[in-house]
């Protein structure tokens, strides 16, 4: 998306016309299509007033739905509260969800500001780990350099190095073979121990890896490893690179105040112009008042109507 040019003349009328084109369904019913999967939606900040909108979007297909985020004055039983430090440690929401809700076929983690187009992957391989972004790696015994801001923070490469050491020192048991896990990470590192990095707003962990993910997640949490380092590194303890899937999606580039991410028209253009995407990030309901209202209106007009068409069956 980095070379994309967005026209400010892109109007709601054009969005409406495009939505009608995409509204033709193929007759597939997705009601309860993911009933064996626990969907964990993570809030970096306690913007829990958007939960009813997310329930309307996801629960028709994901009857098992759990929200997670920082402690807040709420009594909702479906909110798991974890001190994730502005989302830096958000992976522990998934680890804790696995520990508290065992037995699901798989666990799907998404950020609250992701639009998950789940109708594009009803038949994905549920025995694989799935990530949302290509990964890069960093030798743990070399200086972090200046390649990426997070590497040199207290949540960065040194923390990951300590977490990897902690994993190797976990007492072996019938279900936890630290030597095998470390060897898997070393093979993924081409023999030189590395930590990995990559955007981690969407993640799927199958049941066969869930318990180990939860144990290693807790270890990385203790060392306060940053989300986008922890998730791809934990995954490479569990599985070889070639067996980890990559979901096609769009990360709209730019910071908080950049036009691409602060103007909802850009997001909806991306949504309606890319039929095959599995997710889009970021989708914001808590920014500029006008943009928030626009996003919510389009959410109801486009997404909820889509959900009705594919789940009212």
């Amino acid at each position: 998306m980095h070379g994309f040019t967005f026209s400010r003349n892109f109007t709601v009328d054009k969005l409406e016309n495009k939505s009608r084109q995409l509204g033709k369904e193929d007759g597939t019913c997705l009601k309860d299509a993911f009933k064996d999967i626990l969907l964990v939606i993570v809030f970096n900040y306690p913007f829990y007033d958007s939960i009813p909108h997310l329930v309307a979007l996801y629960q028709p297909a994901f009857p098992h739905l759990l929200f997670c985020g920082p402690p807040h004055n709420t009594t909702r039983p479906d909110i798991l509260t974890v001190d994730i430090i502005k989302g830096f440690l958000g992976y522990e929401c998934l680890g804790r969800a696995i520990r508290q809700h065992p037995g699901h076929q798989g666990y799907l983690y998404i950020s609250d500001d992701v639009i998950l187009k789940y109708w594009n992957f009803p038949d994905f391989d549920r025995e694989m780990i799935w990530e949302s972004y290509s990964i890069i790696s960093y030798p743990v015994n070399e200086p972090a350099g200046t390649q990426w801001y997070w590497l040199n923070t207290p949540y960065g490469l040194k923390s990951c190095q300590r977490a990897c050491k902690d994993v190797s020192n976990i007492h072996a048991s019938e279900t936890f073979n630290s030597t095998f896990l470390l060897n898997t990470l070393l093979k993924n590192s081409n023999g030189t121990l590395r930590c990995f990095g990559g955007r981690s707003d969407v993640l799927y962990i199958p049941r066969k890896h869930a318990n180990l993910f939860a144990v290693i997640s807790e270890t990385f949490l203790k060392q306060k490893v940053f989300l986008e380092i922890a998730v791809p590194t934990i995954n490479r303890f569990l599985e070889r690179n070639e067996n980890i899937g990559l979901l096609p999606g769009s990360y709209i580039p730019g910071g908080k105040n950049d036009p691409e991410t602060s103007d909802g028209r850009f997001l909806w253009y991306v949504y309606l112009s890319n039929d095959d995407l599995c997710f889009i990030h970021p989708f914001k309901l808590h920014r500029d008042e006008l943009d928030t209202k626009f996003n919510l209106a389009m959410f109801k007009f486009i997404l909820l109507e889509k959900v009705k068409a594919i789940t009212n069956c």
Side-chain angles (χ1 to χ4, degrees):
M1 294 304 301
H2 287 276
F4 192 84
T5 301
F6 173 55
S7 171
R8 297 290 172 177
N9 295 321
F10 191 76
T11 65
V12 173
D13 288 339
K14 292 180 181 178
L15 286 170
E16 184 175 349
N17 290 336
K18 182 66 174 176
S19 71
R20 290 197 185 101
Q21 296 173 22
L22 295 180
K24 298 176 181 178
E25 308 303 336
D26 61 3
T28 301
C29 179
L30 294 185
K31 181 175 176 59
D32 295 339
F34 303 94
K35 63 183 178 181
D36 296 326
I37 292 173
L38 178 64
L39 177 60
V40 182
I41 301 179
V42 179
F43 290 81
N44 293 345
Y45 301 92
F47 295 140
Y48 299 135
D49 58 314
S50 64
I51 284 180
H53 304 307
L54 300 179
V55 168
L57 175 59
Y58 295 118
Q59 198 159 54
F62 293 89
H64 302 292
L65 188 58
L66 180 67
F67 298 96
C68 180
H72 188 61
N73 184 23
T74 179
T75 58
R76 289 187 64 117
D78 56 349
I79 299 179
L80 180 64
T81 57
V82 181
D83 185 11
I84 56 175
I85 312 178
K86 298 185 288 186
F88 297 177
L89 311 176
Y91 53 91
E92 176 59 11
C93 281
L94 180 58
R96 198 165 299 185
I98 291 170
R99 294 193 291 273
Q100 294 186 8
H101 302 274
H104 291 276
Q105 181 183 6
Y107 297 82
L108 182 58
Y109 165 115
I110 64 172
S111 301
D112 72 294
D113 58 353
V114 162
I115 293 178
L116 187 70
K117 300 175 73 174
Y118 54 83
W119 44 89
N120 281 346
F121 57 100
D123 299 318
F124 77 105
D125 188 338
R126 303 184 187 192
E127 294 302 309
M128 289 179 59
I129 293 173
W130 290 90
E131 297 175 329
S132 60
Y133 202 75
S134 56
I135 57 96
I136 48 182
S137 63
Y138 312 92
V140 299
N141 294 317
E142 295 180 13
T146 58
Q147 301 159 291
W148 182 29
Y149 166 79
W150 285 103
L151 292 177
N152 287 297
T153 70
Y155 307 94
L157 191 59
K158 290 183 179 179
S159 293
C160 185
Q161 181 186 36
R162 292 193 297 269
C164 290
K165 183 177 180 180
D166 289 347
V167 171
S168 69
N169 289 331
I170 293 177
H171 182 68
S173 67
E174 185 176 341
T175 58
F176 194 95
N177 186 331
S178 57
T179 300
F180 177 81
L181 294 169
L182 189 62
N183 283 338
T184 302
L185 183 64
L186 280 168
K187 289 176 182 177
N188 286 326
S189 304
N190 294 322
T192 300
L193 188 62
R194 292 171 174 265
C195 286
F196 293 79
R199 302 288 292 268
S200 301
D201 295 276
V202 182
L203 170 67
Y204 176 78
I205 300 294
R207 175 163 51 194
K208 66 182 180 181
H209 292 311
N211 290 338
L212 287 176
F213 181 96
V215 172
I216 301 174
S217 169
E218 196 168 25
T219 303
F220 273 62
L221 176 73
K222 290 177 182 177
Q223 294 295 347
K224 292 183 167 56
V225 184
F226 181 54
L227 168 77
E228 294 179 4
I229 299 173
V231 165
T233 303
I234 294 172
N235 290 346
R236 279 153 187 83
F237 274 109
L238 305 176
E239 191 59 88
R240 293 296 300 272
N241 282 321
E242 58 268 26
N243 297 324
I244 297 176
L246 182 63
L247 290 172
S250 176
Y251 278 99
I252 298 174
K256 179 178 179 181
N257 297 315
D258 291 337
E260 290 84 355
T261 54
S262 62
D263 190 327
R265 292 176 298 175
F266 188 91
L267 177 138
W268 292 105
Y269 181 89
V270 173
Y271 174 89
L272 293 167
S273 300
N274 297 271
D275 298 356
D276 297 328
L277 296 179
C278 291
F279 69 90
I280 300 173
H281 174 280
F283 168 67
K284 299 295 185 180
L285 287 175
H286 298 90
R287 282 192 176 166
D288 174 81
E289 182 178 359
L290 180 61
D291 195 64
T292 294
K293 290 181 178 179
F294 173 70
N295 275 338
L296 184 56
M298 294 302 293
F299 174 89
K300 293 178 178 179
F301 176 74
I302 300 292
L303 292 180
L304 295 192
E305 289 303 312
K306 174 81 173 182
V307 169
K308 290 177 184 178
I310 60 178
T311 61
N312 287 348
C313 43

